[in-house]
Amino acid sequence: MTTIAIAISKNQCVMMSESGITDEAFHTAPPMRKIVRQGEWLIVAAGADRVCDVLQYVVKYPAVPPKLKNEKDDYVWYQWLAKRLIPIIRKALQDELTLDTEHGVAELPDSEFLLVTHGKAFSISATLGISSCSPFWAIGSGGSLALGSLSTAFHTSDNWELDHIYHIHQALETSIRHDSFSHPPIYGYISKANGTIRECDSKDLV
């Protein structure tokens, strides 16, 4: 149970997470980082723990082709993800026996995840469908709280390009305050359009 959120501006995508871990008996475990970096990718998942482990630690995410890195059309990205990446994810889940197949449709059991690269974010559904997350999104037990906070901030902000990092941090604070399964500390990463990734620091929140 968790809260993970993203906010997108013109040249970057910010991803933040709280660090709470709760077991099936609702015990709170020590804090744990939930955003996994793999090359130019940031990978987060919420839901069944083994599914999350496979998505974040077992799947080997391919390098983004050079010709795609500067592509502005998101639908070209969707095509590449659907043809190249989703089959890799599906195979890894099948190999690890963590993929449900009901009525002929492969599904992630009780899980959802987000992928970020080159300043872009993609939501992958339980049936491995791809959706856009721009300009903001949130998942997990506290996701609806964070999403409401982000929506309000986006529609009232005087300059989303400048203050979206502050607003995503506030969204995580809101989820921690009101979701029993979300706990500090908060941390995050910034994925730039050129593929570089760096961790957020206090200067980003000013």
Side-chain angles (χ1 to χ4, degrees), residues 1-201:
M1 299 184 184
T2 189
T3 305
I4 302 161
I6 60 96
I8 298 174
S9 64
K10 184 178 180 180
N11 295 310
Q12 65 185 31
C13 175
V14 181
M15 174 180 280
M16 284 192 182
S17 172
E18 48 72 60
S19 305
I21 296 293
T22 309
D23 69 12
E24 294 179 358
F26 303 120
H27 298 131
T28 300
M32 179 179 178
R33 286 191 160 228
K34 302 177 183 181
I35 302 173
V36 172
R37 294 179 61 177
Q38 189 184 125
E40 296 175 325
W41 294 93
L42 295 173
I43 309 114
V44 293
D49 53 2
R50 179 55 185 162
V51 175
C52 295
D53 287 347
V54 173
L55 292 171
Q56 294 184 287
Y57 302 114
V58 177
V59 176
K60 299 304 179 187
Y61 292 83
V64 176
K67 65 179 181 180
L68 188 61
K69 292 182 179 182
N70 296 320
E71 179 58 59
K72 302 299 183 183
D73 187 349
D74 283 349
Y75 289 98
V76 178
W77 279 87
Y78 299 157
Q79 289 176 341
W80 181 78
L81 290 167
K83 293 177 182 178
R84 176 77 174 102
L85 184 58
I86 296 301
I88 292 172
I89 293 170
R90 184 174 60 243
K91 184 179 186 307
L93 290 164
Q94 287 173 333
D95 291 347
E96 295 294 324
L97 303 178
T98 52
L99 190 66
D100 284 343
T101 303
E102 188 174 352
H103 308 301
V105 178
E107 292 189 0
L108 305 176
D110 302 319
S111 301
E112 55 187 334
F113 71 112
L114 298 173
L115 297 174
V116 167
T117 189
H118 290 80
K120 296 180 178 292
F122 306 96
S123 171
I124 310 299
S125 72
T127 56
L128 298 178
I130 306 159
S131 299
S132 171
C133 299
S134 184
F136 54 83
W137 195 244
I139 63 173
S141 59
S144 59
L145 292 163
L147 193 59
S149 177
L150 284 166
S151 179
T152 299
F154 179 76
H155 291 290
T156 59
S157 172
D158 292 329
N159 196 331
W160 178 258
E161 293 292 315
L162 291 179
D163 59 19
H164 62 287
I165 302 180
Y166 169 80
H167 289 307
I168 192 173
H169 189 269
Q170 290 301 301
L172 267 292
E173 291 279 13
T174 298
S175 65
I176 288 172
R177 190 175 301 116
H178 298 291
D179 175 48
S180 300
F181 305 109
S182 296
H183 306 281
I186 296 170
Y187 72 102
Y189 291 92
I190 298 173
S191 168
K192 295 286 190 177
N194 64 7
T196 61
I197 295 172
R198 70 171 177 84
E199 191 162 2
C200 295
D201 58 35

